Amino acid sequence: MKNLKLISIALLVLFSFNKGIAQSYKIDPVKSVVNWTGKKITGQHEGVVLFKDGILLLKNKKVAGGNFTVNMKSLSNTDQTGTSKQKLEGHLRSEDFFSVDNYPTATLVIKSIADKGKNTYLINADLTIKGITNSNQFDLVIVNANKATAKLTVDRTKYDIKYGSGSYFDDLGDKTIYDDFELNVVLVY
């Protein structure tokens, strides 16, 4: 009887601790996507980058962490077709921008989380592009049981992407490309 009581207490303690353990959810790299927008004085371009893999950690249905890897070689333009599309994609993949042959992936690792309520979390994360890591802060929203979204603004010059930047080059005129680009992320897990 004493052993049964000890086993019951041990099981109760074990199950109590398990409620506090974060659950790891792999993202679906086919359904998850990063939509990007880059702006310049004369307009903007849009496209996508596909995920290689990623994990979102949830504890009691609340965001507890995560890390994600995108395949930079999948970088594509969606607002153009034909030769213009191919030319822009080639330039974005070149050393002027993301140097995807040398840096085929980019990563984001969640470092801290603040619950803002209504399934919205303020995320502080380390974003690594071209082997350079900088902190980035953004909101992550849990949409439903298997989907989350986030919007990030990234200063490309912090990742040694200075081509066409008015912050580094004078007299660019209407060829100036803004330093910030936007990422709209959809995570399906």
Side-chain angles (χ1 to χ4, degrees):
M1 186 69 159
K2 188 176 181 181
N3 284 341
L4 184 59
K5 197 175 200 179
L6 286 173
I7 291 171
S8 296
I9 290 171
L11 287 173
L12 181 63
V13 168
L14 180 63
F15 286 117
S16 295
F17 284 127
N18 279 343
K19 287 183 180 179
I21 295 175
Q23 296 286 325
S24 176
Y25 294 91
K26 286 186 176 183
I27 66 161
D28 182 335
V30 175
K31 295 179 181 174
S32 302
V33 67
V34 178
N35 295 290
W36 60 264
T37 303
K39 298 180 180 178
K40 55 186 179 175
I41 287 180
T42 57
Q44 68 182 39
H45 290 294
E46 299 169 350
V48 297
V49 183
L50 303 177
F51 280 95
K52 181 177 179 186
D53 56 41
I55 300 216
L56 183 65
L57 299 175
L58 299 176
K59 183 176 179 180
N60 299 325
K61 298 183 181 180
K62 295 186 180 272
V63 176
N67 59 73
F68 310 92
T69 303
V70 295
N71 174 4
M72 292 303 294
K73 290 187 176 191
S74 72
L75 186 139
S76 66
N77 168 247
T78 57
D79 65 276
Q80 294 181 311
T81 58
T83 306
S84 298
K85 173 183 171 68
Q86 291 173 353
K87 185 176 175 183
L88 178 59
E89 288 174 351
H91 197 202
L92 290 173
R93 292 175 185 156
S94 78
E95 291 183 18
D96 282 344
F97 286 92
F98 294 99
S99 189
V100 300
D101 287 337
N102 295 319
Y103 304 98
T105 61
T107 61
L108 184 129
V109 178
I110 294 175
K111 292 300 191 180
S112 67
I113 303 144
D115 190 342
K116 295 175 74 172
K118 297 182 181 180
N119 293 325
T120 302
Y121 301 86
L122 178 63
I123 303 294
N124 283 298
D126 283 346
L127 177 61
T128 302
I129 300 172
K130 290 179 67 174
I132 301 167
T133 303
N134 288 290
S135 294
N136 196 292
Q137 190 175 73
F138 57 91
D139 284 347
L140 178 90
V141 178
I142 301 296
V143 176
N144 59 39
N146 68 341
K147 184 178 178 182
T149 62
K151 293 182 181 183
L152 293 77
T153 300
V154 179
D155 179 348
R156 66 189 175 96
T157 63
K158 290 182 178 182
Y159 300 92
D160 196 33
I161 305 170
K162 298 174 184 169
Y163 182 88
S165 169
S167 299
Y168 289 88
F169 302 101
D170 294 328
D171 301 325
L172 291 172
D174 65 358
K175 295 190 187 307
T176 300
I177 302 168
Y178 296 125
D179 293 344
D180 289 344
F181 64 92
E182 299 166 4
L183 302 176
N184 289 300
V185 181
V186 176
L187 300 173
V188 178
Y189 47 94

